[in-house]
């Protein structure tokens, strides 16, 4: 799943210039829009797979201070320190072309918010989830999936309206997409999928569910395109996107389950592709 997500991340960024510059009503925009829109679930999917790993790793582990500190230090070493190094590299490169001003306050702002370059914001989000690892393990052990997922869905809905709600009070906050609560539903579903992995994968293997997911995803993309091209539906695209993202994740997960039985050459290729991903490049450069 992560290997495919890496390819889709590249695709999204390659197509983005067409999305911003093409005439929305043209056929060229339609050709660009659909693969771009259908690929837009990759960040939630990275969070989903990350949560599955956390659940599988710590569900049966007693979380002591030593375990927590060791886990956090490993995340800082493998993810955050390389992120800092890359932010420094980008910052000084951008300074050469006067894209940034070149002062400490500005640099720290880019480092904290993760907005110096498009891929960086994901690190800001995922580190928040990692640092809260004891909370997720406690939640898995003491709260039922129905309650946890329901509350997470409500939190995600509220966070999508956070900037607007704050603006009514005269408060400007443009970075709600950097707050982990905005993505709670995807992380929480991933946690409980990891907790009940064997039963979940047997459900995902059904063909009828895959067909329903695929048709619904295409329908959501079609509605989004109409909104993009003629701008007259008045739909809340955040809600539609969240539903489409969730269904897309389930669909890709079901497809990837079948790839576990694929020929060895395909699996090796996907493994190499995954090892060339964002975090692995960080580790290669730094360690």
């Amino acid at each position: 799943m992560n290997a495919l997500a890496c390819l889709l991340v590249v695709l999204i960024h390659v197509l983005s210039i067409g999305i911003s510059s093409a005439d929305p009503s043209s056929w060229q925009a339609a050709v660009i829009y659909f693969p771009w829109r259908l690929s837009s679930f990759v960040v939630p999917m990275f969070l989903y797979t990350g949560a599955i790993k956390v659940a599988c790793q710590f569900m049966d582990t007693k979380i002591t201070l030593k375990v927590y500190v060791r886990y956090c230090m490993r995340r800082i070493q493998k993810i955050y320190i390389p992120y800092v190094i890359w932010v420094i590299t980008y910052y000084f490169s951008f300074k050469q072309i006067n894209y940034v001003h070149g002062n400490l306050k500005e640099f720290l702002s880019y480092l904290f918010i993760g907005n110096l370059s498009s891929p960086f914001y994901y690190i800001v989000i995922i580190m928040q989830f990692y640092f809260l690892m004891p909370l997720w393990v406690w939640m898995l052990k003491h709260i039922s999936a129905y309650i946890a997922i329901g509350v997470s869905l409500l939190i995600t809905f509220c966070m999508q309206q956070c900037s607007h709600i704050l603006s009514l009070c005269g408060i400007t906050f443009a970075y709600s997409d950097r707050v982990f609560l905005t993505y709670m539903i995807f992380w929480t579903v991933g946690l409980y999928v990891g907790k009940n992995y064997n039963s979940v994968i047997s459900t995902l293997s059904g063909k009828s569910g895959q067909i329903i997911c695929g048709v619904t995803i295409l329908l959501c993309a079609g509605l989004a395109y109409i909104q993009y091209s003629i701008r007259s539906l008045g739909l809340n695209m955040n809600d539609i996107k969240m539903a489409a993202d969730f269904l897309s994740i389930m669909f890709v997960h079901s497809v990837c389950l079948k790839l576990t039985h694929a020929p060895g050459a395909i699996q090796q290729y996907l493994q190499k592709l995954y090892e060339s991903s964002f975090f692995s490049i960080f580790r290669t450069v730094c360690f």
Side-chain angles (χ1 to χ4, degrees), residues 49-60:
T49 57
I52 291 176
K53 295 174 186 177
V54 168
C56 291
Q57 183 177 357
F58 293 108
M59 183 59 205
D60 299 320

Side-chain angles (χ1 to χ4, degrees), residues 149-165 176 180-186 236-244 246:
I149 292 173
V151 172
S152 296
L153 182 61
L154 179 61
I155 290 172
T156 301
F157 273 125
C158 292
M159 286 302 298
Q160 288 180 348
Q161 307 301 322
C162 177
S163 297
H164 174 68
I165 294 172
S176 59
F180 75 97
L181 294 173
T182 304
Y183 308 89
M184 271 294 293
I185 184 61
F186 303 105
N236 187 336
M237 296 312 301
N238 285 333
D239 295 343
I240 293 177
K241 183 182 184 303
M242 183 166 61
F246 180 77

Side-chain angles (χ1 to χ4, degrees), residues 90-105:
Y90 270 63
Y91 190 81
F92 279 100
S93 298
F94 287 156
K95 179 65 175 65
Q96 301 304 312
I97 59 173
N98 297 318
Y99 180 78
V100 297
H101 295 96
N103 60 71
L104 181 61
K105 181 179 179 181

